[in-house]
Amino acid sequence: MLAAVNTIMNRREWAMLVTLSVLWGGSFFFAEIALESLPPLTIVTLRVGLAAITLWLVVLALKLPIPNSPPIWIAFLTMGLLNNVLPFSLIVWGQSQISSGLAAILNATAPLFGVIVAGILLRDESATPLKITGVVVGFAGVIVMMDLSSIATSSLLAQLAILAAALSYACASVYGRRFKATGLNPILVAAGQVTGATLLLLPIALWVDGNDPYANVPAQVWAAIISLAMFSTAAAYILYFKLLASAGATNILLVTLLVPVSAILLGWLFLEESLQTPHIIGMAMIALGLSAIDGRLWRRASET
């Protein structure tokens, strides 16, 4: 039985959500820099591997008890697959074909998938008519942003990969609710998740990419990888699991509405990226859809 959550976030939870959005928004920026010298699977493996080392050092420093239950570690592996291996790999590969800003916007569909998945699987996060309306409007925004004329090109495939990553995030947010009942410290859950992801990714990355990618990597790429691991992964997932336990699967996915803002600003400031009018219109439609999913502004408007 899953513990009940708050359906409306308080100020502290919103502050955590905004902080999380900045950390995850930076991940698109750091990945874009890393792609200059490293292939996607290598980037993702380094990201989760270094994050795992960082988090286990924190666990040891805080003297937290390390779980030894096989079901818990199976849950860590499953969470690592859904929340790291699949979405990270799909997003980084997608970014090799499209801009970081567009990737972040497409990733903002995660709450839309979350409404559907949580509505089916979680009794306390059922899909209301307003949430369903938000899903419809949000998906319409995705269609506006996508270039359907490029249906046979890698650009469209990259966009579909980002959408698949968003679906995986939605499944992970629902699956991750089970960790609240275990009473595990969020740092332990974060460490277990990225460790599971590392165990799954490392042999695949070595088989696909080999050892060659690590030769002659410039300093700025290593700096981006370290930042990606420590800030956008290790620190971010501590916040993620704290927020997931209190605010629930649907609310935590609202972070992806805020992520494109920081991702777009960083891409514009440092990577000379630009967005086209359809991207901006689509993002506005996704924002409208997510505001309907959150519901508070709509309820206030109906009360006045």
Side-chain angles (χ1 to χ4, degrees):
M1 182 71 179
L2 293 175
V5 299
N6 300 321
T7 57
I8 298 178
M9 291 187 291
N10 56 38
R11 290 182 180 179
R12 178 176 175 272
E13 289 166 339
W14 272 108
M16 291 169 64
L17 195 77
V18 171
T19 303
L20 185 58
S21 75
V22 174
L23 293 172
W24 275 349
S27 71
F28 290 89
F29 170 69
F30 296 134
E32 198 76 14
I33 295 174
L35 280 166
E36 296 174 2
S37 301
L38 294 171
L41 276 178
T42 296
I43 292 171
V44 176
T45 303
L46 287 171
R47 175 180 182 177
V48 294
L50 293 174
I53 293 170
T54 301
L55 286 168
W56 284 118
L57 289 174
V58 175
V59 168
L60 292 175
L62 296 177
K63 298 181 180 179
L64 298 176
I66 299 175
N68 56 11
S69 167
I72 290 293
W73 280 96
I74 291 173
F76 285 157
L77 284 168
T78 305
M79 193 64 178
L81 176 67
L82 293 174
N83 215 27
N84 295 147
V85 176
L86 292 176
F88 285 5
S89 300
L90 290 167
I91 288 172
V92 174
W93 178 80
Q95 277 191 251
S96 68
Q97 312 294 324
I98 60 177
S99 71
S100 60
L102 177 56
I105 290 176
L106 291 170
N107 189 52
T109 58
L112 312 179
F113 290 112
V115 168
I116 298 171
V117 177
I120 294 172
L121 299 178
L122 300 177
R123 292 183 180 180
D124 59 346
E125 297 191 48
S126 59
T128 63
L130 188 58
K131 286 183 177 181
I132 293 171
T133 301
V135 170
V136 173
V137 174
F139 273 117
V142 173
I143 293 172
V144 168
M145 285 189 298
M146 295 179 68
D147 181 9
L148 297 180
S149 64
S150 63
I151 194 165
T153 69
S154 59
S155 175
L156 182 64
L157 290 176
Q159 294 176 54
L160 292 174
I162 305 297
L163 293 178
L167 174 59
S168 188
Y169 277 137
C171 294
S173 70
V174 171
Y175 185 83
R177 280 279 307 276
R178 70 186 56 227
F179 288 109
K180 182 177 182 179
T182 66
L184 289 174
N185 188 296
I187 299 174
L188 276 172
V189 179
Q193 173 195 277
V194 291
T195 300
T198 304
L199 293 173
L200 293 171
L201 271 170
L202 186 59
I204 300 173
L206 289 174
W207 178 59
V208 174
D209 297 337
N211 295 321
D212 293 340
Y214 299 97
N216 302 319
V217 176
Q220 68 267 22
V221 171
W222 283 119
I225 289 291
I226 292 171
S227 299
L228 189 61
M230 294 185 64
F231 301 116
S232 297
T233 308
Y237 275 117
I238 293 173
L239 278 177
Y240 173 88
F241 283 108
K242 284 184 177 180
L243 197 53
L244 179 60
S246 64
T250 302
N251 278 331
I252 198 171
L253 287 172
L254 293 175
V255 70
T256 54
L257 170 61
L258 303 173
V259 165
V261 177
S262 53
I264 289 168
L265 287 175
L266 288 168
W268 174 64
L269 288 171
F270 300 106
L271 302 176
E272 298 182 354
E273 292 182 352
S274 63
L275 291 177
Q276 305 301 317
T277 300
H279 301 154
I280 298 173
I281 295 173
M283 185 177 176
M285 293 176 69
I286 290 176
L288 183 63
L290 292 179
S291 71
I293 292 170
D294 182 56
R296 274 167 291 191
L297 292 176
W298 296 68
R299 286 192 292 270
R300 290 173 185 171
S302 64
E303 293 170 356
T304 58

